[in-house]
Amino acid sequence: MVGKVLLTGGAGYIGSHTFVALQDAGYDPVILDDFSNAKKSVLDRIKLICQRSEIECHQVDVRDSDAIFEILNQGGFVAAVHFAAKKAVGESVEKPLDYIDINCTGLLSLLKAMERAEVFNLVFSSSATVYGDQEIIPIPETATRSYASPYAFTKLMGEQILEQVGDADPRWSFGTLRYFNPAGAHASGMIGEDPADIPNNLMPYIAKVATGEFEHLSVFGDTYNTHDGTGVRDYIHVMDLADAHVKSLKTLQKNSISHAINIGTGTGYSVLDMLAAYGRAVGKTLPHKIAPRRDGDVDTLLGEVEKAEEVIGFKTRYDLDEICASSWHWINTGAFQAAKEDNS
Ligand code: WQD
């Protein structure tokens, strides 16, 4: 093993996939999660994928810095990856204080625990929402950052906290990863996206149309300045995203130079492109209706991806059809059904 890595929010959608990728890369991942947006059954499914009899998992609130220090103080940790945060843009507008508390206080709590334990490598889950609404598409990492929601504010605040701490104290190395739109599932179908209630995001919503749970997809607007009038986004396979975390961590360990990079495919797909792609995976045309635009949506959100290859040697491997096929495989496995029944 090349060392233990603390995954805050490691039982969640991206965290669980990153656990698998880190284990495959020879690391020994340790999960910290409060299970407010994850189910305990995911631990058994990760064990099956990783062929492990046990997984070290601590049910801890990320704002409990002393508890995090006690875990890190066991020794052997080379880094942390910080996923634990609330991430629904719409909900953040309704509950700004909850988002600032968990997303910002939680980050500070983790950093203080890491400093006490002298663990100074951190990969931070950031988001393309720190770019707000941009004129220049695709968006370079040098673009001016802003925020259009409390959620985006917390991610920008997080990036600026890391910049300040990193500039002041050379012991720290930070890998800030600006995700575009994660989608898909692990090839085994044992883990995947499993939103607790009605999905906000496009892919899980389309999946529920494919299962018949929802009658049709509401397409939020078809008058955008895009090839077919519907919103264009950069959908990246969650296992590609997990791989980016491994490459970011390895780069930090090698050169101790902090980086902030876009993690996407560089290719944009519209809502109708996604619906057609998912229909190919399912083998049928999926119904939709045009609905009013959703507040806060932009025409196109797409980032430059060259820096990720230059700095951490990352390139995506999976295309849109593979993303949709992996999602549909997850929906159709017993694991998904078991997860639905898990009310832990
Ligand atoms: C994608 C497209 C919608 C649902 C958000 C967050 C971002 C990140 C990913 C955390 C848009 C359209 C959607 C539906 C639709 N989360 N849509 N009908 O808004 O690009 O990004 O999730 O990091 O921070 O902002 O993703 O999946 O919600 O929407 O037409 O039922 O699908 O209008 O064009 P988004 P999304």
Side-chain angles (χ1 to χ4, degrees):
M1 290 288 178
V2 294
K4 295 170 89 170
V5 179
L6 182 66
L7 300 188
T8 72
Y13 172 41
I14 300 166
S16 56
H17 288 80
T18 303
F19 184 108
V20 174
L22 282 167
Q23 160 100 9
D24 288 350
Y27 290 94
D28 184 11
V30 172
I31 289 175
L32 177 153
D33 207 299
D34 67 359
F35 290 95
S36 60
N37 192 28
K39 294 167 182 169
K40 295 279 177 67
S41 60
V42 76
L43 301 176
D44 292 330
R45 291 182 268 119
I46 293 173
K47 284 181 205 171
L48 279 174
I49 295 171
C50 296
Q51 295 175 333
R52 289 176 64 142
S53 57
E54 281 312 314
I55 283 181
E56 186 179 344
C57 176
H58 302 269
Q59 185 160 357
V60 167
D61 185 315
V62 71
R63 294 165 292 183
D64 185 345
S65 192
D66 291 339
I68 299 173
F69 170 69
E70 289 310 317
I71 297 165
L72 293 173
N73 203 33
Q74 294 173 88
F77 284 90
V78 295
V81 183
H82 185 42
F83 296 108
K86 295 180 75 67
K87 71 161 186 91
V89 171
E91 185 187 49
S92 78
V93 176
E94 294 157 24
K95 303 175 181 174
L97 284 178
D98 285 355
Y99 271 67
I100 293 167
D101 185 18
I102 290 164
N103 293 10
C104 298
T105 310
L107 175 60
L108 291 173
S109 155
L110 173 64
L111 290 170
K112 287 178 186 171
M114 290 177 74
E115 185 177 49
R116 283 174 67 189
E118 297 187 353
V119 177
F120 291 106
N121 291 319
L122 174 67
V123 178
F124 174 61
S125 163
S126 189
S127 165
T129 43
V130 301
Y131 291 124
D133 195 353
Q134 292 283 332
E135 290 301 318
I136 303 168
I137 298 289
I139 306 168
E141 282 88 348
T142 53
T144 306
R145 292 170 294 175
S146 67
Y147 52 85
S149 68
Y151 164 73
F153 167 80
T154 67
K155 287 301 178 182
L156 179 51
M157 176 67 75
E159 290 198 8
Q160 291 174 329
I161 287 169
L162 300 185
E163 286 161 14
Q164 290 303 317
V165 171
D167 288 350
D169 183 343
R171 292 177 298 173
W172 289 98
S173 301
F174 299 117
T176 294
L177 306 184
R178 295 175 186 150
Y179 304 170
F180 280 76
N181 291 54
H186 185 264
S188 67
M190 297 298 289
I191 54 177
E193 192 165 12
D194 182 12
D197 43 24
I198 294 182
N200 290 305
N201 290 134
L202 179 63
M203 174 76 75
Y205 201 102
I206 291 178
K208 288 180 182 290
V209 173
T211 60
E213 188 174 342
F214 293 148
E215 201 178 275
H216 64 271
L217 171 73
S218 296
V219 176
F220 298 149
D222 66 347
T223 57
Y224 286 103
N225 181 22
T226 64
H227 64 277
D228 64 10
T230 65
V232 169
R233 299 290 185 274
D234 179 343
Y235 298 94
I236 177 171
H237 196 295
V238 65
M239 284 314 292
D240 273 333
L241 185 55
D243 181 45
H245 288 76
V246 175
K247 289 183 162 67
S248 174
L249 173 53
K250 284 183 172 177
T251 303
L252 293 179
Q253 287 183 292
K254 191 166 61 181
N255 65 20
S256 300
I257 299 169
S258 295
H259 50 261
I261 48 183
N262 294 336
I263 302 296
T265 67
T267 304
Y269 290 101
S270 73
V271 178
L272 293 180
D273 293 334
M274 290 295 284
L275 196 62
Y278 214 97
R280 289 194 294 273
V282 176
K284 65 181 179 184
T285 302
L286 299 175
H288 75 276
K289 285 184 181 170
I290 303 300
R293 289 187 173 195
R294 180 175 66 175
D295 287 350
D297 274 347
V298 296
D299 299 63
T300 298
L301 196 56
L302 200 54
E304 286 187 358
V305 295
E306 291 71 20
K307 188 176 176 187
E309 186 171 6
E310 287 158 18
V311 174
I312 65 170
F314 171 75
K315 275 191 82 168
T316 53
R317 295 160 293 175
Y318 301 105
D319 64 19
L320 184 64
D321 283 327
E322 289 166 311
I323 290 173
C324 294
S326 69
S327 169
W328 188 232
H329 178 49
W330 151 244
I331 299 291
N332 278 298
T333 66
F336 178 74
Q337 301 312 326
K340 299 309 287 175
E341 282 137 35
D342 173 4
N343 297 310
S344 60

